Amino acid sequence: GDSPDDLKTTPQPLSDSVGLYHRSMDYVDIGGGDIIVGIGKNGLYGFDGYAFRNLGVQPEAGIDITTFINSLDPLQHRWAYGFNDIKKNQYRCFVRQSGYAYNNKELVWDYKKNRISIFDRKGNAMVEWNNNVLFASSQSDGKVHSIGGLSDNGTAITQTLEWSWWPVGDEVIVTFD
């Protein structure tokens, strides 16, 4: 047709105004394709490209973490950090409860068994390294931990920083005072 009105369709909202906090998001393959999982303004959500689904409230599976979600500080959701632990089929997310200045809980969704667990773990960024999932302490102690026990003060960890405008191979010592 000559006009967009010729489509004769009713506009539908894309996101239902849920939105996910970017640090909490990760892709998860639940067997029928990837979904994006993350913390939204009032829950743990999955987004399949068309609609959001509240993963934290699934009465048919006996899941309802509403009380836990309500204990979180919504103004601090931007600090939530999510990670897809592919080997364990788990989406992991560190979150901050009201009254805390750091992430103090870990929310774990086992997407193969469709179960949610909550742990007292203080963590931030996560990464898989040497077949271990490591996470940084959310407190200012510089420690690195793994699920299952490994802890390190981080002094033996070397870092390589690269910038597109800085030639590779230049030796530069950077100090932070």
Side-chain angles (χ1 to χ4, degrees):
D2 296 330
S3 149
D5 294 334
D6 290 347
L7 295 174
K8 306 279 191 243
T9 60
T10 305
Q12 298 294 321
L14 174 65
S15 68
D16 294 331
S17 299
V18 171
L20 300 176
Y21 289 86
H22 74 281
R23 288 170 40 115
S24 74
M25 296 187 311
D26 208 347
Y27 289 99
V28 171
D29 183 357
I30 57 172
D34 283 354
I35 64 171
I36 299 173
V37 178
I39 296 293
K41 63 184 175 185
N42 60 358
L44 173 67
Y45 288 90
F47 181 67
D48 64 4
Y50 299 101
F52 283 94
R53 177 176 167 221
N54 189 337
L55 303 171
V57 178
Q58 300 179 57
E60 70 283 0
I63 295 174
D64 189 347
I65 59 169
T66 303
T67 302
F68 174 72
I69 293 295
N70 290 340
S71 77
L72 301 180
D73 184 344
L75 297 177
Q76 302 301 321
H77 284 343
R78 68 180 187 260
W79 299 112
Y81 190 89
F83 180 80
N84 181 11
D85 187 346
I86 296 171
K87 290 182 182 164
K88 292 186 178 178
N89 299 312
Q90 295 174 337
Y91 165 82
R92 315 180 84 84
C93 188
F94 289 111
V95 293
R96 188 178 298 195
Q97 287 184 301
S98 294
Y100 285 84
Y102 52 86
N103 290 342
N104 67 312
K105 296 287 184 182
E106 183 186 25
L107 185 152
V108 178
W109 175 47
D110 184 319
Y111 47 86
K112 291 296 181 191
K113 297 177 184 171
N114 197 22
R115 283 191 247 175
I116 295 179
S117 303
I118 298 168
F119 298 99
D120 289 322
R121 290 193 183 121
K122 299 166 185 68
N124 273 327
M126 300 179 89
V127 65
E128 184 175 340
W129 179 76
N130 222 15
N131 292 320
N132 289 305
V133 174
L134 304 177
F135 65 93
S137 172
S138 64
Q139 296 175 305
S140 300
D141 57 13
K143 293 196 176 185
V144 177
H145 307 279
S146 76
I147 309 301
L150 171 73
S151 284
D152 187 81
N153 66 7
T155 58
I157 298 173
T158 58
Q159 299 178 28
T160 302
L161 303 174
E162 295 182 20
W163 290 278
S164 58
W165 64 86
W166 201 304
V168 176
D170 286 356
E171 293 288 326
V172 177
I173 297 173
V174 179
T175 59
F176 298 95
D177 296 322

